[in-house]
Structure formats: C-alpha cells, structure tokens
Amino acid sequence: DAGVTQSPTHLIKTRGQQVTLRCSPKSGHDTVSWYQQALGQGPQFIFQYYEEEERQRGNFPDRFSGHQFPNYSSELNVNALLLGDSALYLCASSLKTANYGYTFGSGTRLTVV
Amino acid sequence: RKEVEQDPGPFNVPEGATVAFNCTYSNSASQSFFWYRQDCRKEPKLLMSVYSSGNEDGRFTAQLNRASQYISLLIRDSKLSDSATYLCVVLTGGGNKLTFGTGTQLKVEL
C-alpha cells in the first residue's frame, strides 16, 4: 500500500521564478493538504483540497495556489518566488470522513537563491 | 500569541531518564489533539492521539486538560532512538486544519 508520494524531493529555484510541486495521496484517501515548514519551525497550513476544490486556506498570499485532479493527486504552485519561500513543503493526505488519519509525504525541499 | 505553544528545548537527557513535554493551545474550539514525532529532515509521523482521560502507549503517556487548554507528553525510560523533535498538534478549522507547535527537540545521550 503506497503512502503519500511527493516530487521532486529537492529543488533549487531563482527569485522571481515559478515552481510546481506534486503529491499523490495514500491509496483510499480523497483529501490533500499542503504545509510549509521553515527551518526550526513547525509546519504551517497552506490549504486543503477536497473534490477538486480548495476547502480551506491558511495565511498565505495568492502567490500560492493549488489544484486537485480527479484521481485525488494534487499540485502546489508558487509564483514570483521569494528567498523566504525556501522551506520543506509537505503534503498530507486523509479521508474526509476521518479527521485524524493524516499521512504525510517525505516532502519537497525548496531552496530559492 | 501563537495558536500552539511549546518549549523549543533542546532537552538533553541521559538514557533511561523520564522527560515531560508541555504544550498550550489558544483555540478553545479545537477538536482533536496529537503528538507527532519528526526526525531530522524527515516528515512528521503520528506518535499518538491525546484524550482527556489520558492515554498510554508503552513508554509514552499523553494527557489533555481542556479547561486549561494544556497538553502533555511523558516519555519514560528514554532510549537513544527517542532523539527527535516532538510536535504538539491541534486539529481545528472544522476538522480541516492541523496546527503545529514549533516542536520540542529531545536529545537522549549515553
């Protein structure tokens, strides 16, 4: 049973560029949430997708956007990258009807230079 | 004020010691509570859920005090393999959002 898969594992981008991160949820899960974890901090909620719609959003600017596909996989897009966007981006999948069964992927480490 | 507050540590303890971590949360409407463990440069993994009645899993005991909005984790007989960052996590936003504390770093030494 595959867990949550994220790609790529590492990425280096230049300020001002755009990036797309990808996530495949755990088999049987229908909900995907994205988190940003800066060095020395806990993960911060970016947004959650269910039924291909953004259901809830954290305190992140519009430069952060996402998408969920019919197969439940998801993308996180970040435009106009800033140095402060350097972080570990974590995807967590869950079943909408189960509030506690979150499974995290191993993350994408983004470095903006 | 942060939604979930933890002492960042680090806690350096000898093998076999008992160590306690504390956490407070600000949103009284929070629904569920957890402790996650995160190893260096890895993803967070669920350690245990936390219930008002208190719950135990081997050497780990978690406790929730809803009136004080306080969560605790006790680790007995610490092992070297317990060295990690322990994240206090609260489920809010109608069950859609996990809010994490900064994490408490534990180092268990010989």
Side-chain angles (χ1 to χ4, degrees), chain A residues 56-111:
Chain A
Q56 191 157 356
R57 188 178 183 93
N59 295 324
F60 280 81
D62 291 344
R63 298 187 297 109
F64 289 76
S65 63
H67 189 78
Q68 186 179 34
F69 299 94
N71 67 353
Y72 308 119
S73 67
S74 177
E75 288 182 349
L76 164 65
N77 301 293
V78 187
N79 295 323
L81 284 166
L82 303 173
L83 295 179
D85 295 331
S86 296
L88 178 67
Y89 288 85
L90 295 160
C91 171
S93 74
S94 58
L95 193 59
K96 190 60 177 171
T97 55
N99 286 341
Y100 46 85
Y102 287 82
T103 302
F104 281 85
S106 55
T108 294
R109 190 162 298 278
L110 173 64
T111 302

Side-chain angles (χ1 to χ4, degrees), chain B residues 57-106:
Chain B
D57 182 2
R59 298 181 293 108
F60 299 84
T61 301
Q63 189 77 48
L64 165 67
N65 184 322
R66 282 190 181 268
S68 302
Q69 295 181 201
Y70 172 93
I71 306 164
S72 65
L73 176 68
L74 185 74
I75 305 176
R76 292 180 300 278
D77 188 23
S78 299
K79 311 291 185 191
L80 294 174
S81 57
D82 293 334
S83 296
T85 295
Y86 290 83
L87 295 157
C88 179
V89 186
V90 172
L91 184 67
T92 57
N96 295 327
K97 174 185 167 183
L98 293 176
T99 300
F100 289 78
T102 305
T104 300
Q105 188 178 10
L106 172 66

Side-chain angles (χ1 to χ4, degrees), chain A residues 10 33 35 37 39-45 48 55-56 58 88 90 96 99-100 102-107 109, chain B residues 2 31-32 34 36 38 41-46 49 87 91-103:
Chain A
H10 295 83
S33 303
Y35 291 80
Q37 186 173 23
L39 198 61
Q41 301 297 315
Q44 299 294 310
F45 176 76
Q48 184 182 82
R55 293 291 172 164
Q56 191 157 356
L88 178 67
L90 295 160
K96 190 60 177 171
N99 286 341
Y100 46 85
Y102 287 82
T103 302
F104 281 85
S106 55
R109 190 162 298 278
Chain B
K2 289 185 178 179
Q31 300 160 273
S32 303
F34 312 94
Y36 274 71
Q38 186 171 29
R41 304 181 77 83
K42 300 281 189 180
E43 74 275 21
K45 292 185 178 178
L46 179 64
S49 300
L87 295 157
L91 184 67
T92 57
N96 295 327
K97 174 185 167 183
L98 293 176
T99 300
F100 289 78
T102 305

Side-chain angles (χ1 to χ4, degrees), chain A residues 13-31:
Chain A
K13 288 287 190 178
T14 304
R15 260 184 311 176
Q17 284 189 315
Q18 179 265 345
V19 67
T20 297
L21 309 182
R22 295 176 176 83
C23 172
S24 293
K26 180 178 178 179
S27 178
H29 284 181
D30 57 9
T31 301

